[in-house]
Amino acid sequence: MAVTNFKSIFFKILKYTGITLVSLLALMFITPLIFSDKIKEEVKKTANEKLNGELNYSEANVSFFKHFPSLTLTLADFKLNGSAPFQNEKFIAADEVAFGINLSSLVFGKTIKVDQIFLSNSLINVKVNKKGEANYNVYIAEKETGPKEESETGLKLEEIEITNSKLIYDDQSANVHVDAFGFNYLGNGDFSKAIFALHSKAKIEKLNVIYENEPYLMNKKVDGDLITKINTNSLSFVFEQNDLSINKLLVDFKGKFDFLKDGYDIDFKIKSNKSNLNDLFTAFPPKYITWLKDTELKGSVDLLLTLKGKYIASQNLGPDLNLNFKLKDGFVNYKKSAFPVSNLNMDIATKVPSLNPELLQLDAKMVSLNIGKNYLKTQLKVNGMSTPDIDLVLNSQIDLEKLNRALGIPDIELKGMLVSDLKAKGKYDQKQRLFPNASGTLNLKNGFVKTPYYPNPITDINIVSKIDNQKGTYDGLSVVLKPAGFTFEGEPFLVEADLKNFDDLNYDIKAKGTLNISKIYKVFSQKGLDVDGFIKADLVLKGTQSDAEKGNYSKLQNKGTLELRNINVETEYLPKSLLIKEGIFRFNQDKMSFNTFLASYGQSDFKLNGYLQNVFNFMSSKNGVLRGSFTLNSKYINIDEFMSSKSTAPVATTTAVPDSAPQPTVQETGVILIPSNLDLQFYATAHKINYQGLMLQDGKGAVKMKDGKMLMQNTGFDLIGCNVAMNASYQGMTPKKAVFEYEIKATDFDIKRAYKEVKMFKEMASAAENAEGIVSLDYKIKGRLNQQMMPVYPSLIGGGVLSIKDVKVKGMKMFNAVSATTDHEAIKNPELSKVDIKSTVKNNIITIERFKFKFAGFRPRIEGTSSLDGKLNIKMRLGLPPLGIIGVPLTVTGTKDNPKVKVGRKGDEIEEIQDKEE
C-alpha cells in the first residue's frame, strides 16, 4: 500500500514538474513575442534621450536563449559613433550587443530596466585629441534638480561581459596609445548606484602600451582580478584590489583615476615585491624576449612605480612620477658564457616631478657587478637636466669583452680593459661657468669596437686620462690625455693633450695621423646615412686662449699641417652642405694659411687662397672672432642656393586623416644670415653669377664680412652687355628679414634689354616698357628684403638719375593716350636725346622731377609720381609747334596699362603759357 502511494506521489510530482517546465519553456518562447515591440520601442526611446552619438544596427531580436537564462535584446551589427568632435568615427562596433532585461520591470514597471550588457567580437575605440576632447562622452547625464528618489532610468546595470574583443585607447594629448587584442572581461556590480563596487575579471591575449611613440609593452598577456569603486557622478575610479600578471610578472596595482573636464587626476601605485629577475624581463618588449630565451637570469627584484597628480595639457600640468628599483644577488649569463655576471646589485630611485625632465632627480645609490675577479662599482646622483647637480663615484676594473659576452649585447663587439677611479661632485652650468669638483682617472687599454654597419673594427684603442677640478668652476678644470689613440683601416691616429683653465684655455695638443671620416662614421651608422672625406693631421698646438684673442702671437707655439679631402661641412646658416674637395692648412702661431683650397656648394665652385687668424680661439669660444683674408676665384656662383630654407609640418587639425595619407610639407625660404663672429675679407672674381634669374658676367670686387654685415666695395661686372660698377651693404636681421644699401653706376646700356632682363628695373621703371635706345643709370637705394630675398617695396628709399641718349618710345600707352586726347599723332612715338630724368623713391612712390625734351616741334614737360605697383599721377605740359609758346596742360592718372588723360588743369581748358626757356 505504501509502495503504491509512493509511486502515485512520484508520478504526480513528475507530471506537475513536466507541466511546469513545458509552461516555462512556452513562456520563454511567448514572452519575447509579446513584449518584443515594447522592448524595441523602449530601446529607441532611451537611445534618442540618453545618447549623444549616432546609433545604428541591422536587426533586433528578443530571446531567452542568447544568454540563458537572461532575457536579452540583441542588436546585430551594432555601431555607435563618438561624441564631438569625433561624431563621424566609430566609438563602439560589435557583431552583437545584447541587453539583459529585468523581468519584473518588463511586466510590472513603467519603464524597462536593462541590468546586463553583453558585447561580442567588438571594437571599443576610445580617442582623445590634442586639446583633451574625448569621444566617450556619449551618455547624456540627468541634471539634478533636487534629492533623488529611486531611479526610474531604463539603464540599471549589474553586469557587463565582453568577449573576444579589441580595445584601442589613443590619447594624443598625453601621447599614450594602448591596444588590447583578444580582450575578455566580466564585471559585476550595481551600476545604478552613484557609487558602486565593480568586481572584474579581465584577460588580454596581447597588450601593447606605447608612450611618446616608444613601445613599453608589446604583445603581453594579461590576467587580472580587480575590485574597482566607481563614482558615476564625478566619473571617478578607485582601484582597491588589483592582482595582475603580465606574462609571468605578478603586479599589485592600486590607485585612483578621475576624469576632469580637460584632463585627468591620477594616483597610481604599481608594486612588485620579491619577483624573479627572469619574470620581470618577460614583461619587457619582444626584442628582449629573443635575448631572454638564451640567457640565464637570477635575482630578487623589488619594483615600485607611482604616478600622482593632475594631467591637464592646456595648463601644462603633469603628475609626479616616482620609480624605485632594487635588485639583489643578480646573475646574468648569455649562452652559457665562461664568465657570467654575478653579484649584480642595483638600488635606484628616480623622481620626475610634473613629468618635467628638467626636474629629474636620479639617485643610483648602488650599481655593482663582478665578472670573476673583475668588478664595476658606481654611485650616481643627478638633480636637474640642463644644469644638473652631479655626485658621481666610479670604480672599475672590467674586461669589456667578458662583460659583452655575459650580457649578450647584440651586434656590437667590444674588447679592452676599462680601469677607472673617478669622483665628481657639483653643478654643471655652462652659462655660469660651473663644473663639478672632480678627481680621478679613466683608462682604456687595448680597446676594440666592431659593429654590423662596417666590416672592419677600430682597434688599438688606448686612452690614459686624468681629470682634476678643485674649484667647481671652468677655470679650475684640468684634463690630461696622454696618450689617446686608435688604429683604423691600417692608419694609426694619436692625440696627446694637456688642457687647463677652460675659462681661458691653456692648451698643449699634439695630433698625428689620418681620420677616414666616411668609414669611421659607417662603423657606428646605419645604411642610408653617409658622411664622406678624410682628415690628415700633423699638429702641435700650444698656448692660451687669451693670447690668441689679444694677438699675443709670439707667446703661441702652433705649427703643423692639416689636410682635408672631400669633407662635407653642414651649418645652420646655409641650406646645403659645403663640400671641401681639398685643402692643406698650415698652422703657424695663430695663423692658418692655405693654398689651392677647392670647394663646391650646390652648382657653385670656389678656389681660395689666403689665411685665417684666431682659429683656435674661434673654435674653443663662443665669443671668438675668426679673422681672415682671401682671394676667391669661381667659374660660376649661384646666389639663390645660399638662401636658407626649412621644411615645416602642417598645423595639426582634429579632422581625421587616413594613416596612409601623406602629410604635405611647407617649404619656407629665408634670407642669408652672416655669422657675427666672422671678420673676413675676400677679393673675388667670378666668371658667371646667377641671382634670381639675372646673369652677371665677369664679376670682381672686394667683399668684407664683419659683425654680421657684408660690404661689397668697388664691385664690377658685365650686365646686359655693359660694364656696371656698384657698392653694396647687406645684413640679415632674422631668417625672414634683411636690410641692404645699394649703389649702381651703369653707362650706355640697352634700355629695352634692361626692361626685359632686370626684374627690379622693370618694376621700378614701368614707363620704359616700350622704350628703345641707350641709357645710363646712377642710382642709390636702401631698404629691406623679405624671406625670398626680394625687396620690400614700401621700405625702399633712394634716388638718382636716368640719363637718356637717343631713345625711341614706341607704343607707350601713356603717350598713345596723350596723342588721342590732344589729336596730335606725332606725339604718339616720341624720340628723346640727351635727357636726364631725376627721380626719388620713398613710401612705395617714385617721384619724377620735372624734365623737358624736344621732338618734331613739340616741347613736352613732364613731372609727377608713379607707385611701384604701376599707378600713375603725372602732370604734363605739351608745348605745341613751332616754339612751344602755346601749351596744353595734361593730367595722366590710372595705371601704366590703362592710363587716363585729362586736358587742362581741371580737365576742361587749354592755356597759353609763355615758356621762358627756348
Side-chain angles (χ1 to χ4, degrees):
M1 186 68 178
V3 173
T4 302
N5 289 336
F6 175 77
K7 287 183 178 180
S8 176
I9 293 169
F10 175 76
F11 281 115
K12 285 181 179 179
I13 292 172
L14 190 63
K15 175 183 177 181
Y16 292 123
T17 302
I19 292 170
T20 302
L21 289 173
V22 171
S23 299
L24 288 172
L25 286 172
L27 283 171
M28 293 177 72
F29 279 104
I30 295 170
T31 300
L33 296 176
I34 295 172
F35 293 101
S36 176
D37 291 340
K38 181 181 178 181
I39 293 170
K40 293 177 182 178
E41 191 64 34
E42 192 68 29
V43 167
K44 289 183 179 179
K45 179 183 175 184
T46 302
N48 289 331
E49 293 177 352
K50 299 294 184 181
L51 292 181
N52 182 26
E54 182 182 346
L55 174 65
N56 291 294
Y57 54 89
S58 62
E59 60 177 335
N61 295 302
V62 181
S63 172
F64 275 102
F65 300 102
K66 281 283 185 180
H67 295 276
F68 185 82
S70 299
L71 174 63
T72 57
L73 168 67
T74 301
L75 304 179
D77 300 322
F78 179 92
K79 294 181 181 64
L80 175 62
N81 284 5
S83 55
F86 299 96
Q87 59 268 35
N88 296 322
E89 299 182 44
K90 293 177 185 176
F91 170 40
I92 297 175
D95 288 354
E96 290 185 349
V97 173
F99 300 93
I101 308 299
N102 182 283
L103 285 175
S104 62
S105 71
L106 178 65
V107 179
F108 305 108
K110 294 180 181 179
T111 59
I112 299 173
K113 291 183 172 57
V114 175
D115 54 16
Q116 294 172 306
I117 291 181
F118 306 89
L119 280 82
S120 59
N121 300 317
S122 64
L123 166 66
I124 303 170
N125 184 30
V126 181
K127 285 194 170 186
V128 182
N129 65 19
K130 290 184 177 180
K131 296 179 180 179
E133 299 168 326
N135 71 338
Y136 49 71
N137 297 313
V138 293
Y139 185 75
I140 302 174
E142 293 181 3
K143 295 181 180 179
E144 293 189 26
T145 56
K148 274 194 174 183
E149 296 182 1
E150 181 67 24
S151 174
E152 289 295 331
T153 180
L155 193 64
K156 193 174 182 180
L157 292 178
E158 295 178 1
E159 181 178 332
I160 295 178
E161 184 176 344
I162 302 172
T163 57
N164 192 30
S165 294
K166 179 179 178 181
L167 171 67
I168 297 175
Y169 177 82
D170 186 58
D171 188 341
Q172 294 184 7
S173 70
N175 213 344
V176 174
H177 185 94
V178 178
D179 296 317
F181 301 95
F183 179 50
N184 294 275
Y185 175 82
L186 177 62
N188 295 287
D190 191 348
F191 293 79
S192 64
K193 293 183 178 179
I195 300 175
F196 64 92
L198 177 64
H199 294 256
S200 307
K201 288 189 176 182
K203 287 188 177 182
I204 302 172
E205 292 301 319
K206 292 182 180 179
L207 175 68
N208 301 331
V209 178
I210 300 170
Y211 176 65
E212 297 283 357
N213 299 321
E214 286 292 329
Y216 283 76
L217 299 175
M218 295 297 292
N219 299 327
K220 299 306 168 191
K221 188 173 183 179
V222 177
D223 193 346
D225 286 329
L226 319 171
I227 298 177
T228 307
K229 277 189 176 179
I230 301 175
N231 186 331
T232 57
N233 289 334
S234 61
L235 203 54
S236 171
F237 298 85
V238 178
F239 304 98
E240 287 191 337
Q241 177 185 327
N242 297 276
D243 298 320
L244 291 172
S245 64
I246 304 174
N247 282 7
K248 295 181 181 180
L249 180 66
L250 297 176
V251 175
D252 178 36
F253 171 48
K254 293 181 181 180
K256 73 169 186 175
F257 189 95
D258 295 341
F259 283 93
L260 306 177
K261 182 180 180 181
D262 51 1
Y264 316 113
D265 190 2
I266 305 169
D267 187 356
F268 286 168
K269 186 177 181 180
I270 300 173
K271 182 171 64 174
S272 181
N273 284 341
K274 309 301 179 185
S275 298
N276 186 282
L277 182 60
N278 185 82
D279 294 343
L280 173 66
F281 270 86
T282 65
F284 277 35
K287 61 183 178 181
Y288 296 103
I289 303 302
T290 303
W291 168 83
L292 184 62
K293 69 180 182 181
D294 295 320
T295 306
E296 183 181 0
L297 284 174
K298 297 178 184 177
S300 176
V301 173
D302 288 343
L303 175 69
L304 176 63
L305 184 147
T306 65
L307 188 64
K308 185 175 182 179
K310 292 181 180 180
Y311 180 86
I312 303 176
S314 60
Q315 299 179 26
N316 202 27
L317 290 179
D320 298 334
L321 172 67
N322 294 328
L323 174 62
N324 294 335
F325 179 81
K326 293 182 181 180
L327 170 63
K328 291 183 179 179
D329 302 322
F331 179 91
V332 183
N333 193 5
Y334 179 71
K335 289 189 175 180
K336 298 182 179 180
S337 166
F339 304 98
V341 170
S342 61
N343 298 324
L344 177 58
N345 293 282
M346 296 184 185
D347 187 352
I348 301 173
T350 305
K351 296 182 180 180
V352 187
S354 299
L355 290 180
N356 184 351
E358 289 298 323
L359 303 178
L360 169 71
Q361 299 174 37
L362 172 66
D363 187 0
K365 297 175 181 142
M366 176 180 61
V367 177
S368 64
L369 60 86
N370 290 100
I371 300 179
K373 294 182 179 180
N374 288 172
Y375 63 88
L376 184 148
K377 296 179 182 178
T378 185
Q379 298 173 17
L380 175 63
K381 286 185 180 180
V382 177
N383 288 330
M385 184 66 73
S386 299
T387 58
D389 272 311
I390 298 171
D391 189 353
L392 169 68
V393 177
L394 175 63
N395 289 284
S396 71
Q397 184 172 323
I398 196 82
D399 189 321
L400 296 180
E401 182 179 11
K402 293 178 181 178
L403 180 64
N404 187 64
R405 290 184 179 178
L407 297 179
I409 299 174
D411 301 328
I412 297 177
E413 190 176 348
L414 296 174
K415 295 180 183 179
M417 182 65 70
L418 179 65
V419 179
S420 64
D421 183 6
L422 181 64
K423 293 181 180 180
K425 187 174 184 178
K427 193 175 187 68
Y428 172 77
D429 188 334
Q430 187 175 11
K431 289 183 179 179
Q432 300 296 325
R433 313 302 289 171
L434 299 177
F435 196 92
N437 286 343
S439 64
T441 58
L442 186 67
N443 302 331
L444 177 64
K445 186 177 181 181
N446 297 326
F448 176 105
V449 176
K450 186 176 184 295
T451 72
Y453 310 121
Y454 192 76
N456 298 326
I458 299 175
T459 63
D460 302 324
I461 306 172
N462 290 285
I463 300 172
V464 177
S465 70
K466 185 177 181 180
I467 302 170
D468 186 72
N469 186 7
Q470 301 302 317
K471 296 174 66 175
T473 57
Y474 266 53
D475 64 350
L477 178 61
S478 168
V479 178
V480 179
L481 291 172
K482 287 190 177 180
F486 60 86
T487 299
F488 182 63
E489 293 287 9
E491 295 280 358
F493 192 87
L494 182 68
V495 175
E496 291 187 0
D498 188 346
L499 309 176
K500 297 175 182 177
N501 186 1
F502 280 64
D503 265 339
D504 179 15
L505 190 61
N506 186 324
Y507 56 90
D508 186 352
I509 302 171
K510 295 179 179 141
K512 188 171 184 178
T514 300
L515 296 174
N516 192 318
I517 303 297
S518 172
K519 293 180 180 178
I520 289 176
Y521 187 82
K522 288 177 181 176
V523 170
F524 302 101
S525 170
Q526 298 182 21
K527 292 180 179 179
L529 300 175
D530 195 15
V531 174
D532 198 12
F534 71 84
I535 299 174
K536 187 174 182 180
D538 187 358
L539 295 174
V540 175
L541 307 173
K542 189 174 182 179
T544 64
Q545 187 175 326
S546 59
D547 284 335
E549 187 174 359
K550 294 175 182 178
N552 300 326
Y553 304 133
S554 60
K555 296 182 179 180
L556 304 178
Q557 299 179 39
N558 299 327
K559 60 182 180 179
T561 59
L562 189 67
E563 183 178 349
L564 309 183
R565 300 276 181 183
N566 298 323
I567 300 293
N568 268 309
V569 178
E570 294 187 0
T571 170
E572 61 182 303
Y573 301 109
L574 298 172
K576 295 181 180 290
S577 61
L578 174 67
L579 175 63
I580 302 173
K581 296 179 180 179
E582 65 176 272
I584 299 176
F585 298 86
R586 289 182 172 82
F587 289 82
N588 184 16
Q589 303 301 70
D590 195 52
K591 182 180 285 188
M592 183 173 73
S593 58
F594 47 94
N595 297 314
T596 317
F597 182 92
L598 301 178
S600 65
Y601 178 86
Q603 298 175 338
S604 306
D605 65 271
F606 305 96
K607 182 178 180 181
L608 288 172
N609 291 287
Y611 68 88
L612 290 172
Q613 274 187 309
N614 204 34
V615 176
F616 198 82
N617 183 44
F618 172 75
M619 294 173 63
S620 62
S621 169
K622 284 188 174 182
N623 300 321
V625 177
L626 184 65
R627 302 182 182 93
S629 180
F630 305 91
T631 59
L632 181 150
N633 295 281
S634 175
K635 295 178 181 178
Y636 178 70
I637 298 176
N638 187 350
I639 295 178
D640 295 348
E641 291 183 323
F642 287 83
M643 294 171 62
S644 63
S645 64
K646 59 183 179 180
S647 295
T648 58
V651 177
T653 66
T654 56
T655 304
V657 179
D659 292 341
S660 60
Q663 295 295 313
T665 57
V666 179
Q667 190 74 14
E668 291 187 359
T669 58
V671 303
I672 301 169
L673 292 175
I674 300 170
S676 60
N677 55 351
L678 296 181
D679 184 0
L680 305 176
Q681 298 183 49
F682 296 87
Y683 183 79
T685 60
H687 182 58
K688 289 184 179 181
I689 303 171
N690 176 62
Y691 171 59
Q692 297 286 318
L694 181 65
M695 190 63 69
L696 311 179
Q697 303 278 348
D698 297 324
K700 60 182 179 180
V703 179
K704 294 183 179 180
M705 294 184 187
K706 188 174 183 179
D707 299 327
K709 297 179 182 179
M710 181 173 70
L711 300 176
M712 300 176 67
Q713 298 175 324
N714 301 319
T715 302
F717 52 84
D718 184 275
L719 172 66
I720 58 170
C722 76
N723 291 321
V724 178
M726 69 178 189
N727 293 292
S729 67
Y730 168 90
Q731 183 176 15
M733 308 299 289
T734 71
K736 296 184 178 182
K737 176 185 174 183
V739 294
F740 76 99
E741 293 188 22
Y742 185 75
E743 178 182 348
I744 184 170
K745 290 184 180 181
T747 304
D748 295 342
F749 71 92
D750 189 326
I751 191 172
K752 186 174 183 178
R753 184 175 175 186
Y755 187 88
K756 288 182 178 180
E757 298 183 20
V758 183
K759 184 178 181 181
M760 184 175 175
F761 178 79
K762 176 181 179 179
E763 293 178 348
M764 294 185 63
S766 58
E769 180 178 4
N770 293 294
E772 294 182 11
I774 304 300
V775 301
S776 298
L777 182 66
D778 186 351
Y779 223 86
K780 296 180 181 179
I781 196 164
K782 64 180 179 179
R784 297 197 312 271
L785 299 175
N786 63 18
Q787 64 194 73
Q788 281 80 35
M789 292 286 285
M790 294 301 294
V792 179
Y793 292 121
S795 75
L796 299 180
I797 299 174
V801 178
L802 179 67
S803 299
I804 297 175
K805 179 181 178 182
D806 298 328
V807 171
K808 297 178 181 180
V809 178
K810 293 182 180 180
M812 187 172 178
K813 291 182 179 180
M814 187 182 81
F815 284 104
N816 288 345
V818 170
S819 174
T821 302
T822 60
D823 198 24
H824 291 286
E825 182 70 19
I827 198 66
K828 192 172 184 179
N829 296 311
E831 295 183 8
L832 292 78
S833 180
K834 297 181 180 180
V835 177
D836 290 339
I837 302 175
K838 297 179 181 179
S839 64
T840 58
V841 179
K842 190 174 183 180
N843 296 328
N844 212 34
I845 299 295
I846 301 175
T847 301
I848 304 169
E849 296 184 15
R850 179 179 294 184
F851 69 94
K852 303 174 185 179
F853 61 94
K854 298 177 183 179
F855 170 63
F858 292 95
R859 299 193 178 193
R861 186 181 72 197
I862 299 174
E863 62 186 299
T865 63
S866 172
S867 67
L868 291 176
D869 57 2
K871 294 179 181 178
L872 303 175
N873 186 12
I874 303 293
K875 294 178 182 179
M876 183 174 179
R877 179 185 181 276
L878 184 60
L880 301 176
L883 300 174
I885 297 173
I886 299 175
V888 180
L890 303 168
T891 301
V892 183
T893 58
T895 66
K896 66 181 182 65
D897 295 321
N898 186 23
K900 297 178 181 180
V901 178
K902 292 183 179 180
V903 178
R905 292 180 179 178
K906 297 182 180 180
D908 58 0
E909 61 185 38
I910 298 178
E911 288 187 342
E912 292 185 8
I913 299 175
Q914 177 66 43
D915 195 339
K916 294 181 181 179
E917 299 180 20
E918 292 183 359

